[in-house]
Amino acid sequence: MRAARLIKMVLLLQSRPSMTAAELARELEVSERTVTRDAQALSEAGVPVYADRGRAGGYRLIGGYRTRLTGLARGEAEALFLSGVPGALREMGLEDAASAARLKVSAALLPSLRDASRTAAQRFHLDAPNWFTEPKAPELLPAVADAVWDDRRISARYRSRQAEVGRELEPYGLVLKAGVWYLCARVPEPGSYRVYRIDRFTAVEAGEERFERDEEFDLPAFWDEQAERFARSILRAEVVVRLSQAGARALPYAVDPVAAREALAAADAPDEEGRLTLTLPVESEEVAHAQLAGLGPEVEVLEPGSLRTRFAEDARRLARLYGT
């Protein structure tokens, strides 16, 4: 433990002109007294750590000292490519690997480039979850992530809508979509690729056996295809609506945007009032009622009759609330 901390201290000092004891203590998660002892140990071991006294003082390396401990391990190199997504790294258990990788890269850079990580962090930040949600990392995510990195087959228990089932899976990749984690995996028998929500796994056990990855598998392309197929599969009903021009502009923000754009493109010319009549695929009458209600008077439901009746009742209730 101490050896790793001493190495990190050297890399920190190598990547910056100087650091105060308080800064080092914060980075190393130790007390300032421990920093003083570690600096003394490094000096006794031949590492030229120099302590500047005074208010503006701190620790620095002298004589252009460079350590050779900057070689990236494979796991650190892989995690480095995800370092712009700190929340996802924490949830997968890769935060320490990414931190070590960034530190090694920073130590290896020219002095003029050592602020690159700070300037990049001030210019780009990814916040994946949706608004007004409290994302919670699935408990089994780190175990699944380890299997993904190592190409290890897993035995898993998965809670589907019908029952809890057992699965033997080859975990190919992880996807974070709107704060929800998904696993894209190959089922050895019958050899098909499927998508599983990580929070529905109730047990995951990685075996010693590694699977041979299909190098032609394209995770982004597979996910895009599956996401589009899923969006299409849940649109099992249809409604006929009449929209004002304002309603037509707002429709892609109220319902599935792809379905909305296709329905608008297929609509006939506007009537004498400038309204468009179109057939819109929806998930269900219940969902359509909730979604289209947000358009208010900019939409008129024509079919099915049961949905039109619901909107008529909504109108009567609103009239009672706001009428004079």
Side-chain angles (χ1 to χ4, degrees):
M1 182 68 178
R2 190 190 185 199
R5 189 175 70 242
L6 292 175
I7 291 171
K8 185 174 182 178
M9 184 174 179
V10 173
L11 292 172
L12 284 167
L13 294 174
Q14 186 173 308
S15 65
R16 307 178 193 181
S18 67
M19 295 183 69
T20 65
E23 290 172 335
L24 284 168
R26 186 167 55 253
E27 291 283 351
L28 299 172
E29 299 180 350
V30 295
S31 66
E32 293 186 30
R33 180 172 296 181
T34 299
V35 168
T36 301
R37 289 198 297 265
D38 286 352
Q40 180 65 31
L42 287 171
S43 180
E44 292 173 356
V47 178
V49 178
Y50 180 77
D52 291 316
R53 305 297 180 184
R55 179 179 299 178
Y59 292 93
R60 60 186 175 89
L61 294 174
I62 61 176
Y65 179 83
R66 306 289 293 175
T67 177
R68 295 185 179 182
L69 297 173
T70 53
L72 285 175
R74 179 176 179 83
E76 295 168 345
E78 291 168 335
L80 183 63
F81 289 101
L82 297 173
S83 59
V85 196
L89 284 169
R90 285 193 300 272
E91 293 176 5
M92 289 190 291
L94 296 173
E95 186 177 26
D96 290 342
S99 176
R102 288 193 297 268
L103 185 56
K104 290 181 179 182
V105 169
S106 179
L109 291 174
L110 294 173
S112 60
L113 299 177
R114 286 178 187 161
D115 66 342
S117 61
R118 181 184 63 81
T119 56
Q122 294 302 319
R123 287 164 173 78
F124 177 77
H125 176 69
L126 177 63
D127 185 7
N130 280 332
W131 287 102
F132 313 117
T133 59
E134 293 292 336
K136 182 180 179 180
E139 182 180 349
L140 295 174
L141 177 60
V144 176
D146 284 344
V148 169
W149 286 120
D150 290 341
D151 293 338
R152 292 186 183 275
R153 292 186 177 182
I154 61 173
S155 298
R157 299 290 301 175
Y158 188 76
R159 187 178 64 255
S160 66
R161 291 183 179 180
Q162 290 76 28
E164 185 173 297
V165 295
R167 289 284 186 267
E168 297 294 323
L169 302 173
E170 296 176 353
Y172 266 68
L174 291 167
V175 175
L176 177 60
K177 171 71 171 180
V180 179
W181 284 96
Y182 297 88
L183 172 67
C184 300
R186 182 177 180 270
V187 183
E189 296 293 337
S192 58
Y193 294 93
R194 299 179 186 176
V195 177
Y196 300 89
R197 280 185 60 141
I198 301 294
D199 57 7
R200 291 183 182 169
F201 283 116
T202 59
V204 171
E205 183 178 351
E208 295 298 323
E209 182 183 1
R210 284 187 168 87
F211 63 89
E212 186 174 346
R213 178 179 288 268
D214 181 359
E215 297 301 328
E216 295 184 0
F217 178 79
D218 186 329
L219 180 60
F222 172 76
W223 175 258
D224 288 344
E225 178 184 346
Q226 293 297 309
E228 182 177 355
R229 182 181 300 173
F230 172 75
R232 298 280 183 177
S233 69
I234 64 174
L235 302 179
R236 303 185 182 94
E238 288 185 343
V239 298
V240 180
V241 296
R242 188 166 173 257
L243 295 163
S244 67
Q245 293 300 311
R249 289 191 297 270
L251 186 64
Y253 302 98
V255 301
D256 179 79
V258 175
R261 286 192 291 267
E262 291 181 353
L264 288 167
D268 293 332
D271 59 21
E272 63 276 5
E273 297 181 11
R275 288 180 170 259
L276 290 171
T277 299
L278 54 87
T279 300
L280 178 69
V282 294
E283 184 174 346
S284 67
E285 184 174 316
E286 290 287 338
V287 172
H289 179 251
Q291 292 175 332
L292 296 175
L295 298 181
E298 308 304 328
V299 62
E300 177 188 1
V301 175
L302 302 179
E303 296 179 13
S306 56
L307 183 58
R308 181 178 175 87
T309 299
R310 295 180 68 170
F311 273 94
E313 177 59 26
D314 289 345
R316 286 190 289 271
R317 293 173 61 192
L318 287 170
R320 287 195 296 269
L321 285 173
Y322 295 101
T324 58

